[in-house]
Amino acid sequence: MTENKGIAIVGVSLRFPGAESLADLWRQLVDEQCVISDLPAARRDSDESFSASDGEASRIRGGFLADADAFDASFFGISPREAMYMDPQQRFALELAWKSVEDAGYQAAALQGSRTGVFMGVANTDYTELLEKQADVSDACVPTGTSSAIIANRISYWFDFHGPSLTVDTACASSLVAVHQAVRALERGDCDHALAGGVNLCWSGRRFAALRRNGMLSDNGLCRAFDASADGYVRAEGGAVIMLKPLATALADGDAIHAVIKGIGTNHGGRTNSLTITNPQAHADLICSVYAEAGVAASSISYIETHGPGTPLGDPIEIHGLKTAFSRLTEREEGGTAKPSSCGLGSVKTNLGHLESAAGIAGMLKVIAAMEHRTLPATLHFDRLNPLIKLDDSPFYIVERTQPWEPGRGTDGEPLPLRAGVSSFGFGGTNAHVLLEAYEPRSGSGEPETSAPVDEAADVLRLVPLSAKDGEQLRLMARNLLNDLRGPEGAGLVPAGQDRAGPGVLRDIAYTLQVGREAMAHRAVFLAADRTDLMARLDAFVHDRQAPDIWQGVVGQDQRLSLLAGDEDATAMFRSWIEKRKLAKVAELWTLGCDIDWNLLYADEAPRRLHLPAYPFQRRKHWIPGSSAGSERPLRSRDATAASGERPEPRPSGPVMSTAVTNGTALQPPAAVVSASKRGFTAEKPRGVQLLSLAEADGDREKDEVRDISRLASRGIPVATPTRQRTRKAAPDRGGRAELERQLVQSLAEVLYMEPNEVGVDQKFIDVGLDSVIAVEWIRAVNDRFGAALSTSHVYDFPSVRALAGELTGVYDPSTGTAVAPQAVLLPAEEAVRDVSVRHPASDTASLEAELTESLAEALYMAKADVAVDSKFVDIGLDSIIAVEWMNTVNTRYGTSLPVAAVYEHSTIREFAVHLAQRGTGQKSSDAQTSDFDVDDVLRQVQSGHLDLEQAERMLQL
């Protein structure tokens, strides 16, 4: 295998008992901690079988995660209702995927639409069992919420990945088999990047009881791998995801590399004496094939992270297979004999317990941490070797104490890179083994330089940006970065090559946080000359003290930037500020919401990405509705504390995306911040919500419409009756439009398991978590109550409560694209304008531009000042879905029948206003064709998935 062959591990995320980062895990290992504990009291409430009469709960010990029932649902645009019915393993995997991408130093937006594969290992389905016992399993969210396939698929969906996406279940080998599938997909060219890993959560008391009856669990509650007193394994929870790229690609991209996969394989033991007993010959065959394919000598392997579950028979069988494999391999090597005590054996299960489907990835991360620190952690609870294990005449020894990791040596006596194998076995006979190598850049190897020399003493100022969904998370991010810069206390805790005080580190920190994190609404940026300077700024920010060179802002709250939106001269000026390193101005621009091309700051430098702290998710409990453990409670965790106050609503179906900048700094108007209280409402589903008929809810609306028409007439705006009407639904006679909207809000909140005050009448349905599954149920309920005939597609055509209420009351006729006159409501001051409802576009295009700007800003949830009349619709976020809604509004308001495609042909407010004015007076635009849209363009949008068939058909109906 050539130097640059292999698969690079560029990103890592984990959550194990007591550890939420690789640094946390290393501290546990080097401090020789065992995190196995008694069953937490909260777990006993999750399943009544834990409290069975046989006293099983009191005997259960394991490695348990804190707040495993919690999830930052709003970050991922998932409603509380859907989150409750989602297997927490799905939720867990989403958060780990995000953190792995960030650890690699990439924005999620940079991977959107990419050929990124997702491969996840999972075996337990405990939450499904609990749902069947405790909840309404007919809920529409159950099929997707309990499907193991969705664990990988939901990651691909949310990030918009287009590579392979699959979930693997080979029991305790699942995560390592998932990594194998990812490596093979990368090698075949099926994907360009891959996320791989596994998750495991233990909720079912019955599973513990069954495993104990099978004799698999330890009676003393400790994993004693290789020890004479080993009596079974200890269950544990956790998960991890790694981001993979071909090594050559990672080097070319300047990625930070944790380690390199040099070889990997999997096989099955075939028929043995028992389904659950490992075949040592098959194990040996697998190791030989992996090392032979990698072209690596067994003598160069200095450590094996074993499966090592601590069972009295399983451990000896595994060691026998290792001895057989290394004996075969060394016979083929020059010399033909193995050096005694040259390869250590260990098991992370003695620290954490057995993570089952995530066991293999846990072993990999232990090895990666050990490689980065060049130290082998001790195997805990080892006193006396299992008498069935014979290490004589082998290169193996048990790592009984923490010690320096000495590499193997080549035939020339020179030290080789640290190399280790990791094994994982499934109890159904699947074996998996991976060969890892420490990444060590070699001079003269042809590897590209990832970091140009820099003199930090030259007072080179750097901008270090941070952003989050809300102010509390922003402050927590600053705290986490500060702690990372301070470094862990104690010798041997700083990874080799990751010294935060080295030359060029401030530049690389700044660069990673500039290009490797999504720019969210709450922002802070720090101007610093060196690491000490940055730490002082961060400390002041964390403790809310005044300090120079700190800028902070919330996108959308300051409208100064909107005055220059779309101005070419302003864009050129901003680019000049960056090139001339006017950093204070750049910092202020970014906090206001401007997209910055940070690469312009590094014209003569080659910064590199670093592994830095990832986003701290909120922890809010989401549990089975109606269960004894499902009541709402505030959560405190190491990842994030419970937030309070207003929170910006996240992007619903994917990460917060930044506008791509290909040539300088493109000035984009700041996005609006849609705030809603998010307190993790998880109470039992409300019952008995009453909806009034439409006949009871529209009297006031007609009065409002007539008053509006009167107001328009008084301003000299022409109004006229429509030329065609349809049969109206029963007109409400009391309660008004506002009452109808209130009822729709309440019913929508009910199906989403939210509080009504969390659903705004103008909030997009997709923003509150209304997906296509729940939409079917809700629209059915609306139709049943009001005698309507709405289809599910109406939630896309009328994507807010206010818009849908308008459709229900008959304000809009989709068959003609025209408004319908309300029945006359006579008031003394309004008789002169009875029987009219639609106004023609004003001939004064300036007035029309102002009206269109206001309505478009409302549709986009933006401030009116942020919508420039010469900005392209696509540049301010008008996609095909929102375009349908806005065009409905325009046609309703002006009595026109413009197709949605008009926003593509007349792509700014100014152009569209001219076109609308000409249509309103019966004229045609000078550039108008025989139709108002390009049929080929519509078909292309259907093919690409941007339009569904119903939308396309409406656009094609003239």
Side-chain angles (χ1 to χ4, degrees), residues 116-423:
T116 298
V118 179
F119 306 84
M120 293 298 298
V122 65
N124 288 335
T125 57
D126 290 12
Y127 201 66
T128 302
E129 177 189 326
L130 299 190
L131 281 171
E132 291 172 348
K133 292 192 299 183
Q134 302 179 23
D136 176 11
V137 294
S138 64
D139 190 275
C141 296
V142 170
T144 53
T146 59
S147 170
S148 294
I150 300 298
I151 291 177
N153 295 166
R154 194 183 289 274
I155 294 172
S156 299
Y157 162 77
W158 198 83
F159 283 89
D160 192 20
F161 293 155
H162 292 187
S165 182
L166 56 95
T167 301
V168 174
D169 181 1
T170 54
C172 301
S174 296
S175 60
L176 214 54
V177 173
V179 174
H180 171 263
Q181 294 292 306
V183 169
R184 291 292 180 258
L186 289 166
E187 292 174 340
R188 290 192 302 265
D190 293 343
C191 54
D192 300 322
H193 325 84
L195 295 177
V199 289
N200 188 65
L201 294 173
C202 307
W203 300 107
S204 170
R206 292 179 179 177
R207 182 70 60 89
F208 278 94
L211 291 171
R212 186 177 299 284
R213 281 195 293 271
N214 287 341
M216 294 183 177
L217 298 186
S218 168
D219 285 331
N220 61 41
L222 292 175
C223 175
R224 298 180 179 273
F226 321 123
D227 193 81
S229 62
D231 67 343
Y233 84 89
V234 181
R235 300 187 75 195
E237 300 177 321
V241 170
I242 57 178
M243 184 172 174
L244 305 174
K245 296 173 70 173
L247 177 58
T249 304
L251 293 171
D253 292 344
D255 292 323
I257 299 173
H258 285 285
V260 179
I261 296 175
K262 284 294 187 180
I264 192 168
T266 181
N267 71 4
H268 192 274
R271 189 176 182 87
T272 61
N273 291 333
S274 172
L275 173 66
T276 59
I277 293 179
T278 300
N279 182 339
Q281 296 304 315
H283 179 207
D285 292 343
L286 175 62
I287 292 174
C288 289
S289 66
V290 169
Y291 293 3
E293 184 179 348
V296 170
S299 58
S300 70
I301 309 300
S302 47
Y303 179 73
I304 297 290
E305 174 65 21
T306 66
H307 185 61
T311 57
L313 183 59
D315 291 351
I317 290 176
E318 180 176 6
I319 300 301
H320 180 69
L322 281 168
K323 290 173 61 180
T324 301
F326 272 63
S327 176
R328 291 183 199 168
L329 292 167
T330 53
E331 286 177 0
R332 305 170 191 171
E333 297 176 13
E334 186 177 343
T337 58
K339 180 181 177 181
S341 299
S342 59
C343 184
L345 301 177
S347 174
V348 74
K349 295 177 180 64
T350 63
N351 302 90
L352 304 177
H354 187 354
L355 274 74
E356 298 173 333
S357 54
I361 196 73
M364 285 185 68
L365 293 190
K366 172 188 172 180
V367 170
I368 290 170
M371 284 179 167
E372 291 181 349
H373 294 270
R374 304 187 72 84
T375 301
L376 290 175
T379 298
L380 306 184
H381 316 304
F382 179 79
D383 297 317
R384 182 169 58 90
L385 190 66
N386 186 322
L388 297 178
I389 297 176
K390 307 297 182 182
L391 297 180
D392 300 337
D393 302 322
S394 81
F396 303 116
Y397 68 96
I398 307 300
V399 181
E400 301 181 48
R401 58 180 178 81
T402 300
Q403 62 192 56
W405 188 346
E406 299 296 335
R409 294 185 177 271
T411 55
D412 58 359
E414 292 298 314
L416 297 169
L418 296 177
R419 289 176 181 155
V422 180
S423 292

Side-chain angles (χ1 to χ4, degrees), residues 759-770:
V759 180
V761 293
D762 291 310
Q763 199 170 6
K764 298 291 188 293
F765 290 137
I766 195 171
D767 288 348
V768 294
L770 183 67

Side-chain angles (χ1 to χ4, degrees), residues 555-853:
V555 175
Q557 287 190 356
D558 191 319
Q559 302 302 326
R560 286 176 291 167
L561 192 62
S562 63
L563 299 176
L564 302 175
D567 190 298
E568 294 181 359
D569 293 335
T571 299
M573 178 179 64
F574 295 160
R575 178 187 176 94
S576 174
W577 287 351
I578 296 175
E579 292 174 338
K580 294 177 180 179
R581 298 186 63 82
K582 294 186 177 182
L583 300 183
K585 294 182 180 295
V586 174
E588 186 171 8
L589 278 177
W590 187 75
T591 58
L592 291 175
C594 185
D595 291 328
I596 303 295
D597 184 358
W598 297 105
N599 288 298
L600 293 174
L601 295 173
Y602 303 95
D604 300 320
E605 299 178 86
R608 63 192 177 102
R609 294 181 176 89
L610 296 179
H611 304 299
L612 294 174
Y615 190 82
F617 290 110
Q618 288 282 351
R619 295 276 166 80
R620 297 186 182 85
K621 176 169 176 155
H622 298 281
W623 193 247
I624 300 170
S627 69
S628 59
S631 58
E632 181 182 5
R633 61 178 173 87
L635 296 176
R636 297 276 174 178
S637 72
R638 300 180 61 196
D639 200 34
T641 55
S644 62
E646 295 295 301
R647 294 177 51 77
E649 190 71 16
R651 186 179 188 273
S653 58
V656 180
M657 302 302 175
S658 300
T659 303
V661 180
T662 57
N663 184 21
T665 303
L667 176 61
Q668 302 294 334
V673 179
V674 182
S675 298
S677 175
K678 291 288 181 182
R679 296 190 297 278
F681 176 74
T682 57
E684 182 178 359
K685 180 177 178 180
R687 305 291 181 182
V689 176
Q690 297 282 327
L691 294 182
L692 301 177
S693 68
L694 281 175
E696 301 174 311
D698 199 33
D700 288 347
R701 182 190 71 82
E702 295 186 353
K703 296 178 182 178
D704 291 341
E705 287 176 339
V706 172
R707 288 193 185 99
D708 185 52
I709 295 167
S710 177
R711 177 176 55 84
L712 297 177
S714 68
R715 291 170 50 197
I717 298 176
V719 291
T721 58
T723 57
R724 180 178 180 271
Q725 297 194 22
R726 63 175 178 173
T727 302
R728 291 175 52 85
K729 304 177 182 71
D733 56 13
R734 66 180 178 86
R737 172 74 167 271
E739 173 62 18
L740 175 60
E741 291 170 355
R742 185 193 67 78
Q743 294 177 57
L744 290 174
V745 163
Q746 185 150 347
S747 67
L748 180 58
E750 178 186 0
V751 298
L752 294 175
Y753 290 11
M754 299 173 71
E755 294 177 290
N757 62 11
E758 294 184 287
V759 180
V761 293
D762 291 310
Q763 199 170 6
K764 298 291 188 293
F765 290 137
I766 195 171
D767 288 348
V768 294
L770 183 67
D771 61 13
S772 58
V773 175
I774 302 176
V776 172
E777 176 184 337
W778 185 52
I779 289 298
R780 185 183 299 124
V782 171
N783 286 337
D784 289 346
R785 179 57 187 159
F786 296 117
L790 303 180
S791 66
T792 305
S793 65
H794 277 79
V795 301
Y796 305 107
D797 294 342
F798 308 94
S800 69
V801 167
R802 193 185 303 280
L804 191 64
E807 167 62 5
L808 275 171
T809 52
V811 171
Y812 178 77
D813 185 347
S815 66
T816 63
T818 61
V820 177
Q823 296 174 352
V825 179
L826 299 183
L827 296 175
E830 294 158 355
E831 296 185 11
V833 293
R834 59 186 300 182
D835 297 327
V836 295
S837 66
V838 180
R839 51 176 159 170
H840 291 305
S843 57
D844 176 8
T845 57
S847 299
L848 190 54
E849 288 172 3
E851 295 169 357
L852 291 171
T853 298

Side-chain angles (χ1 to χ4, degrees), residues 434-456:
V434 60
L435 173 61
L436 295 175
E437 181 177 284
Y439 173 65
E440 299 174 1
R442 300 171 183 83
S443 59
S445 66
E447 296 178 5
E449 290 290 335
T450 60
S451 181
V454 64
D455 182 9
E456 289 291 5

Side-chain angles (χ1 to χ4, degrees), residues 872-892:
K872 298 289 185 183
F873 290 136
V874 69
D875 290 341
I876 56 176
L878 184 66
D879 59 18
S880 59
I881 301 296
I882 302 176
V884 171
E885 175 197 350
W886 185 56
M887 196 56 64
N888 289 342
T889 300
V890 170
N891 285 331
T892 299

